[in-house]
Every structure is written in structure tokens, then in C-alpha cells.
Amino acid sequence: MLLRSPHEMRAIASKSVLASSSAASSSSFARVPRRSFAAAATTSASEKSGSTVSPNVLLGAQSTGVTSSIQNQCNLVMMRLKSPKQAPLSALVETVQQLGVITKEAPAEERLELAESVNYRQLMLEFVAKLPRDAGERTAWDQAWTLPMLQSLRDLRLPDAMDRKLYIRLGNTVVQGSARMELDVMLGALCEICKLDPKGRGPDDFAVWSVGRKLEVMCQSAAPGDIPISELVQLLHQFNNPAMRHRSSVHLAPAVVKQVEAGLPACTLKELPMLLLTYATHPELGPHLMERLAIAAGSPEGLKALSMNEAAVVANALAEQVAPSAVVSEALMKRIEQELEKGLSTQTADFVLRTAVATADCMPTDKKASWETLEKALQAVADLVFPAGGEVQVALPAERLAAMLRWQLILNERNNSDGPSWTEEVAQNLETLVGKLPLASLTALVQTLATSETPLPGALCQGIAEACENLARTLSTKDFVALALPLAQLGCLEPAFVETFDIEAAITTETSAPMLAHLLWALRAANVDTGVLWSLASMRLDVIKPSLSQLPDEDRALLYEALAGHRATFGELSGGAAPRICQDVQWKTCWQDLIEKNTPEPESKGLMEELLEELGYQPEKNVIFDDHLYVAPFVVRDRTSEIVVEPLGMIPRHPASREQRGSISIRHRTWMDQGKDVLSIPDRAWTAVAEKAKEENKEADVRKAQSDYLKLKLDTLFREFLLEELNPSEETAALLKDLPIGGPKGLPLDVLKAFEMQPPAVQRNVAETFKKASASGTIQNPAGWVMTAVQQQALRVKQKEELTKGKSKIVAAKPKPADGWEHQEGKPLSEAKPGLIVSGKVTNIVNNRVWVDVGFTSDGTFALRDASNFKVGDQVTSLKVHEVDLEKGNLQLRAQLRSQKKSEDGKVTRVLPKAKAKAAAEPPTSKAAAVAKARAKAMSQDWKTDFSAARRRPSDGWKHKDAKPLSEFTVGMAVKGTVTNTLHERVWVDIGTEKDASFWMEGNSFKIGDEIPDLKIDSIDEQRGRVLLKSPSS
């Protein structure tokens, strides 16, 4: 079959339609509507006159302007085949070509209508079936059909509707014709197939390899330099098609490399970018190409002849070089300057930006002109992307926006400014797009943000943290550490990111000394600990100990601070390397040098010292605590608390993330872990206080305003600390608002405890009297005044109670029912055993005693210091049976630390205040001391060396199916059982209950399977199904 021109195809299409139309009246396709072909005479005349006629006219379009349906035109062409299954391959090819001519100018809707038609699908299925299934199968395919067929398929523009095998089999036709086709024609055909198939299904790897092999053979058969470099460049450029570049390595074949190397002297400037696409990272050709480029860049014309697309290719290649050429980078910046002078367009903006940011990566820092050009380029692109009051003309992908922001932040640091207004707009656009950034771009952006002082929306760093968490499972250890360190510096390193990445596994096998230094510092700054992490890190340090001596000073400083800070909080790490590092003077010197380098000296230190002395705090200066690590500039104390007061030369929160900087967080956490509170005030805060005072009153005393500001900050910290220790009720806390707490002139903790222990009436009287006396200025010693007032008010209340004793009538919350207080449906009181955990509903309250229906015939009762917040109907949980008097029918209960009250409105509160919980946590003096000691030892020591129980949790859980109900067990009952698990000093025993019982024992020597007789039940919690046993040693 002969190749036909488009003009011939139009004529054939016209004749085919006419023939099909005349045959339709008597054929099985007679139901297809007849169409008018009145324009045929006009068409012939037009052809004779040599004018170009559209396919619509050729196919019978009405001259009235009403265009015929593309679907009907295509149906007429396809009807000529009658049966595609029986039609020869040549007829199928000709039909597809005619369809391509018809649909070339058709709208998308009509082309989709064709793709969904039954006739078209049947045609394409038969066409694909007759193509070679592999390169070796012989079919009736003529190699001359390949290129015209690809052109027709491109005209059809329906790749998604075509059979998935089509592109692979078309690639097979190219391979079969390799003997008679020129290499550039074959490559062009493969590239065309790649364009047609956006899903990358064809051509297959063998077709790509075959064409590559043909290039290799051509280079082998010719002497080096015989193949013109211009021809070779074009061939290699076609192999760079995105769908083929990773499936062929022909460009690395020795024969091809020799030919390219031999032709380099004759290579023109326009050909160099195409070669750089292929050989930028080649160990031999890459440097040679850059040398040629440097020669061209150093000429008077420089790189001005390159298009911006070609310049972007050169810039990307330059950034990949080990030693980038300063001459080339300068020439690229001049090329950008040339483009900026002409004015950016929507077509060139992206290329200019790509060239600018890629060149900036390898630009000398002392080239002021180049940096100015970079700034102009970023501003010019920003004017198109974020026009003031106009519509966006260029939509940039996330990677370009991130590059714009990153380099503008770097420019801001060079110029010591906050940069242009569009910086914030870029950051806002990136908030939702940051998850689409490639890993390299994301890492570079985070690292730049960590060292920037430009204020940005905090939501950007939140988006970065989420993107990092989503990437965590796919990261290598190196990539994880590269992100973790700057995230910690920003204050954005989240525990979820660390937990999602399996840090324990990585830290024991894949971390080098620098990576471990960065990682441990980041984890310490973010206060992230997975339990065993630091022990594993200590083991890893022992393994890589020889390489620690090669660490740079900055990495030594980071590792020292992380290990020393952890030691100050949790004690010495095990192993040999970690303790030695903490004790090494040289390592500590490296850390001190880094602190001095990165921490600006505060200007307000002298002012702060003067103000503290004026306020009567008598600060201690340059205090070093037991950690021997950080120097606290000032420390102020009262009888119960200490506050480190620290002037700062920088703002404590990072301007990009609005979170506390990692370098400050790691220092403050070490102090706070030792029980100190921390007050940091940056220099700019004092300036802001002074400005605000002047705004409110031009004659204001700035010094007094600053003194009041510092006093408020310190008083607030002292107050918060003491209130946390006191843990008063809501009513008491409200009364304490008017009293000075903490500090040199405030109430100490012992006075507050005495105040809090008084009845509400006494507290109210003392608070009101103090408020009046304070307003008159008669109080010189607040602590002594309050203590005296408390004693006097308490005495008056006592005297009043004695006078009215016996006269007042006790009023219960609920009167006695007619049928009495007993519950006939309840369990007998004999089943209530001391130690039993019960819950129930409040039935009555008298003064501070509460009665609760806990399921027995008689209500249980317990007393509280203040039962005013209890009401009849409240639910009370986790009460413990204390004493049972069967003769009197009394059931005495006790509230526990975990006891809770749930009111009818659903509000849940503690029965006992937190102060009681702290009193209950005092060191035990009874026989429970051994149990408490065992727990403390397990929590403080054994976890360092033993991280797991003796037996893992079974897949079906710990519960026993054939178990006895807890009602069959009583406190004090003797039982026996089998040991099922042990962890540190705790032992679990199967005694027949659904959940295993347990006990604590110091020096535990039991093993799984041991039989233990004569165990006694200590307590039963029916709600949780838990049974505690007495230790066999007690």
C-alpha cells in the first residue's frame, strides 16, 4: 500500500462516503439517514482551481452553514468495511486514516462520541488483532504504514479509548522495520508512540532496547568522529524522552561515549544543553561539557544565544557538578538580566525562575551583581504570580513556589530585612501544597526556614510537619535525620513523625556519628523519647566509638548537649562512650563555643538586674546547678520555689513556626526537669513595654512600667507554682485571687495551706478583711497578717458553734422514707468484705457525711471534709469497703484517690482533692513498703536493661474463657495459682478468675509455670475485674 498525502486522503474519504451513501439505500445499513451531497460539484471545481477544501465540504456539508455530525460521517466511512473481521489489514489502515482526517478539526465532544460507538470499538479491536504481537511475528503489516498510522492516531486524539495493546504492537512494527528504516525515523516513531500513550504502556522495553542497539552498532562501525556531532546530539536527545530515558542506557555504551567525546570540539553552543541533559553527571563527559560551556560563557557574547529553556537545562546541570563553574553561573545570571530587560512573559516566567534558583545554588557569595539579578528575577516572577489587585497570570507548581520562598528567605538574611510582601503570599499558598513537594525540595525548604528570621504564617510549618509525617514510612535514616534536625530547631518536630518512622531499628544499624549527633539533639530539643531510644543510642555510640574522634566541632557540640542534658534529667547513660563524652573537657568546650557563636548577648541584662534588686528579689547571678551544664543569668527564690530569670538577645519563639526555638527549648527543659521555673524576656519586650507606656501617656514613667511588667511576670509564676502545689477547691481559688501569693512579699505555702484548711466562712471573712486592709495600706507583713486573721476567725467560728451547739437542728438532704432505709432487693450485708471495691448512687447527705446505695440491704456511708458539692442521685465509683458491722447493720466505706462523682448533668469530678492524692503518695510505713519499693525500683532502674515482659501478649488476649465469677471470691480468701507472666517485680497468677490476679514482690524469682499455694486476696475491683493478692513474702 502506498503512502498517501493528506490531500489524497481527503479525496479518498469523499469518494468513500459517496460510495457508501449510494450503497446504503439497498444494503443492510439502509436505516442510516440519507444525506445531501449537493456540494460535490462545488468541491470538484474547487479542487481544479487548486484551493484547499476542508474535510467537511468533501464529506457533504451543507452550504447553509449547518455542519453535519462527525459521528454520521465516520459511520459512513466505517460502513464501507461491512465486516472488519473479514476485512484485510490494508482496508483497516485506510479506514483509520480516513477517520483521522475527519476528526482532526472536530470538537472534543464529538470525538468522544466516536470513541464510545460500537463500530469504532470493533474497528480498533480488529486493527489491533492484526498487528504483530511481538517483534518476531510476521503479519501483513507494511512498514510504510507506520508513520502515517501514527499521524492518524494523533489526529484522532483518543488514546484512552484505544486498546491497551495497540501501542506495544505499534512498537513491534517499528522493530520489524528496523532494517529498512533510518535510525532517526525509528526514534521519531517511538517518541510519537510515547506521546500517544500518556500511561506509558508502549512501546515495550524490547523495542526501546532494539533501537538503542542500532545506535550502538552504528557508533561501533564508525571511527570516532565520523558521525557528525549534530546528528548524534539529535539522536541522543530523542532517547531523553521521559518515557524512554530510564529504559535505555545506550548513551553510556563505550562506543557512543567515544563518538560524543570525539565530536565535542565541533559542538555548538545550542547543542551543549541537549548533551548536558544526557551527560551532566557522567564522570568524564560531564566535566568536559562544562569546560566547553565555560569557554562559551567567557566569550563576549556569553550565553545570550541560549533560549531560556536551554538556559534552565544548563543551570540544572551546573547545580549537579561537584565544582560548579563561577564563569558559567555569572553568564547565566547575565542571560536572565537580558530576559528581564525585555520583560517577562507568561511563557518565559517559569524558565527564568528555574534558571535563577538552580544557578543560585552554585553562585559565589561575593558576586553582588548576581545576587541582585536573582532578587530582580524573583520579584519579576512574583509580579506575574501575585499581581497587586489583578488576576494571577502564571500558576506555578509547589516546587517552584518553595524555591521562590527559600531563596527570598536567603536574600532576606543577606540584606537583613523581612523581604517583600509577596513572601507571605507564597507561604500562604504553600500551606496546602507543601505535601506535593519532592523530598529534596521539602528538605531544602525546612533547612532554610530553620535558619531564617523572617516572620511567616505558622500554618506553613504545621503543613510541613504533616507532610513529613506522611513521608515518614518511606524515608531512609539519612533523609529522616536531615528533616528532624531543622524541624527541632523550628520547634516543629512532632512525636508522631518519630513514631511513624521506625527510629529504634534505624538507630541501631544505619546511623553514622554525624547522623546520631543530629538525631539525638533533635529528640532532646523536642522532648521525644520512645522509652528505649536513649539506651539504644548509647549502645550505638559504643559501636561507632572510633569515628567519634572525626566529628566536626559543631556536631560534637550537638552530641554533647543532647547527652549532657539527658544525663541531667534521667541520670547517667549506660555504656562507655556516652559517659566519657559528658565528662570530656574538649567536647564541652566545643559546645560552649557553639553557644557563644549562636547566642547573641542580651542588651537588657543590666536593666533586668537593677529591676530585680529594686523589687526586693535579691537575685543570685550566674548560677550553675547540679547538672554543671547551663549558666542561669539570675535566680530568684522564695521558700518553696526557684525561678531562673533569663534575658535574651533573640526572640524565644521562631518567627517562622511561632514555636519555641529548639536551642532555647533544650536549655529550659533541663532547668524545668530539675524543678525550676523559667522566665525568659527578650530585649525587644522591654522596648515594646516602653513604647506602649508612651502611647498611653506621653509623660509616663518608663522605668516604672518596665518594673511593673517584670513584677507581674514573676508574681504570676510564683502564684501558679504555689496554687499547683496547694490544689485548692474552686471556691478557695476564687478567694485567693485577691491575696498576694509567693515572692518576697507574698504568702508562702504553709500560710496558704492553713488558709485552705479553714471552713468556707472563715476563708471568706479573711479574704474580705484583707482586701479592705490592703486598700488602706495598713498591711506590712501579708503572711503574718493572714495567719493571725485565720486564727482569730477560726476561734470566733468555734465559739459560735459552741454557743449554738445542741440548738441547731440537723437537716438531711432527704427525709426518711415511710418504709425505712433498707433495700429488700439488695444483697445481704454479710457478703460485704473489707477491701471490696463498690460503686453506687447517693441516697442522702447530712453535713459532710454521704450515704450511697452500693447494692446491699443497707446503704454504705463515708465522710468528707466538705460534701457540699454532693447531691442525692449522684453516681459515685471506686469506693472501698472499710468496715462491716452486722449487728448494727452499718457499712463503712472509704473514698480512694481514683473515686469519682458523676452528677446528673454528666459532669465528672474527683471525690478527693489532689492534695489528698499527694498525701496518699507519701512513703509508706506499713507492710506495703516492700511493694512500693519494688515498684519504684522497677520504674527507676530495671527499665534500662530489661524492656519486655517474660511472655508476649497472646493473639486472643489475656482473658480466660472458662473462668469463675468474681462473686465467688472474697477479700482474705486463700487461693492457689499458676504463674502466667512476670515483668520486673510484678507477678501475674491464674487463680481461676477471668483476668489474672497479680502481686508485687521485691527480688522476684518466679518463672512462668510455677505453682504458688496459700495466696491471699488483698482487694477485689468488680468494676474492672481486677484482683490484687498479698505478696507471698508479706
Side-chain angles (χ1 to χ4, degrees), residues 978-1031:
T978 305
V979 176
T980 59
N981 206 359
T982 63
L983 177 62
H984 306 309
E985 309 293 343
R986 194 173 183 184
V987 182
W988 283 265
V989 184
D990 180 8
I991 62 170
T993 53
E994 185 180 27
K995 292 183 179 180
D996 292 336
S998 66
F999 62 88
W1000 291 79
M1001 181 177 180
E1002 186 177 8
N1004 167 35
S1005 60
F1006 288 104
K1007 298 180 181 178
I1008 294 176
D1010 288 350
E1011 296 286 339
I1012 306 178
D1014 301 326
L1015 292 168
K1016 289 189 177 181
I1017 296 177
D1018 188 38
S1019 67
I1020 300 174
D1021 188 341
E1022 290 186 345
Q1023 274 193 322
R1024 300 185 178 183
R1026 293 180 179 174
V1027 178
L1028 290 179
L1029 306 172
K1030 293 185 178 180
S1031 173

Side-chain angles (χ1 to χ4, degrees), residues 523-790:
L523 297 178
R524 176 64 184 164
N527 196 28
V528 176
D529 189 357
T530 62
V532 300
L533 179 62
W534 288 88
S535 295
L536 294 175
S538 180
M539 297 176 193
R540 183 62 180 169
L541 282 171
D542 291 337
V543 174
I544 62 174
K545 184 178 177 181
S547 61
L548 293 176
S549 60
Q550 307 299 321
L551 274 178
D553 286 350
E554 186 169 344
D555 291 346
R556 285 188 173 204
L558 295 177
L559 184 56
Y560 174 84
E561 186 172 27
L563 294 175
H566 186 272
R567 180 189 62 175
T569 303
F570 301 103
E572 199 73 73
L573 283 167
S574 59
R580 286 195 189 95
I581 289 173
C582 294
Q583 298 165 8
D584 194 298
V585 176
Q586 292 182 348
W587 284 71
K588 186 172 184 178
T589 302
C590 291
W591 167 69
Q592 290 172 336
D593 291 343
L594 181 66
I595 293 293
E596 185 177 352
K597 174 185 174 183
N598 294 340
T599 307
E601 186 69 22
E603 298 176 359
S604 58
K605 188 173 183 179
L607 171 65
M608 188 175 286
E609 182 180 356
E610 293 172 5
L611 292 175
L612 287 171
E613 291 175 350
E614 290 174 9
L615 292 170
Y617 282 103
Q618 298 178 348
E620 296 181 43
K621 293 180 284 186
N622 300 325
V623 179
I624 300 178
F625 298 109
D626 294 338
D627 56 25
H628 301 290
L629 191 58
Y630 300 102
V631 178
F634 304 107
V635 176
V636 295
R637 294 183 172 95
D638 66 3
R639 283 184 282 178
T640 54
S641 60
E642 291 178 294
I643 298 178
V644 175
V645 183
E646 181 185 36
L648 289 175
M650 64 173 72
I651 54 174
R653 293 187 177 274
H654 199 288
S657 62
R658 311 299 169 88
E659 301 290 341
Q660 192 176 50
R661 299 173 189 268
S663 56
I664 295 176
S665 175
I666 198 170
R667 178 169 68 251
H668 289 185
R669 183 162 291 106
T670 302
W671 283 332
M672 289 188 291
D673 288 343
Q674 297 175 69
K676 281 76 176 173
D677 284 321
V678 182
L679 173 61
S680 293
I681 302 180
D683 289 342
R684 65 170 60 183
W686 300 111
T687 306
V689 169
E691 291 175 352
K692 184 177 180 182
K694 287 294 184 183
E695 284 178 9
E696 295 175 354
N697 183 3
K698 292 183 179 180
E699 298 180 358
D701 186 348
V702 171
R703 180 78 169 203
K704 186 178 183 306
Q706 293 173 334
S707 178
D708 292 344
Y709 171 79
L710 180 59
K711 184 178 184 302
L712 177 62
K713 292 287 185 182
L714 288 169
D715 287 351
T716 302
L717 281 177
F718 279 123
R719 173 181 287 271
E720 288 176 354
F721 176 82
L722 290 176
L723 289 179
E724 185 178 350
E725 288 292 312
L726 185 65
N727 190 25
S729 64
E730 292 182 6
E731 185 178 355
T732 302
L735 294 172
L736 288 173
K737 286 182 179 179
D738 297 325
L739 303 181
I741 297 177
K745 299 180 181 179
L747 303 181
L749 185 60
D750 54 349
V751 174
L752 291 173
K753 286 183 177 179
F755 177 86
E756 196 260 346
M757 291 175 65
Q758 304 306 312
V762 173
Q763 292 181 5
R764 283 193 295 272
N765 290 338
V766 171
E768 290 172 3
T769 308
F770 181 90
K771 190 175 180 181
K772 293 176 182 177
S774 179
S776 63
T778 59
I779 300 178
Q780 300 298 323
N781 181 4
W785 192 97
V786 170
M787 203 66 190
T788 303
V790 165

